[in-house]
Amino acid sequence: VEWWDFRRWSDPGEAPLVAGAFPEPFLHGFDGKRRPAVVRYTRAGLRPGALALARVVGAGSVAPAGKAVPREANVLLLTWGAPQFRLRYRAGHGTAGDPVELIVAGAAAALARDPHRYARVYSVP
């Protein structure tokens, strides 16, 4: 996948991750290295969506949000609330290939059915 990003890169607060790349980096990783993936959810009612998305990203673990996550893992976190889809580095701004966290609210089932629904979109909403 090649992504031409025409944002202004002079703002150091801007994270170099884009929602529209999903299901990357979960599927193929970076530079030939795929990190383990885990899915966590904040409410019991979100478990079905968590299981569906775990199949999409090949997650080895699906559990409530309080369960520990390996340092090297990419994390998909399902939350309750207004629609949200935010991809960020797990530790600060990070660098290419570092572990990421994807926060999803209000769209888990739809995202599982169509993992590319946010293609070519920087952020949601």
Side-chain angles (χ1 to χ4, degrees), residues 58-105:
S61 171
V62 178
K67 182 159 171 91
V69 172
R71 279 185 81 129
E72 73 279 0
N74 286 333
V75 178
L76 195 156
L77 175 66
L78 269 64
T79 64
W80 190 260
Q84 176 182 207
F85 187 88
R86 190 172 71 220
L87 186 63
R88 64 183 184 190
Y89 287 114
R90 286 186 58 199
H93 291 286
T95 59
D98 283 352
V100 297
E101 177 181 60
L102 171 63
I103 301 169
V104 177

Side-chain angles (χ1 to χ4, degrees), residues 1 6 15 17 25 27 32-33 42 49 52 57 63-64 73 77 89 91 96 100-101 113 117:
V1 173
F6 294 104
L17 293 167
L27 294 185
K33 181 182 178 194
T42 59
V57 300
L77 175 66
Y89 287 114
V100 297
E101 177 181 60
R113 281 191 305 276
R117 76 181 280 133

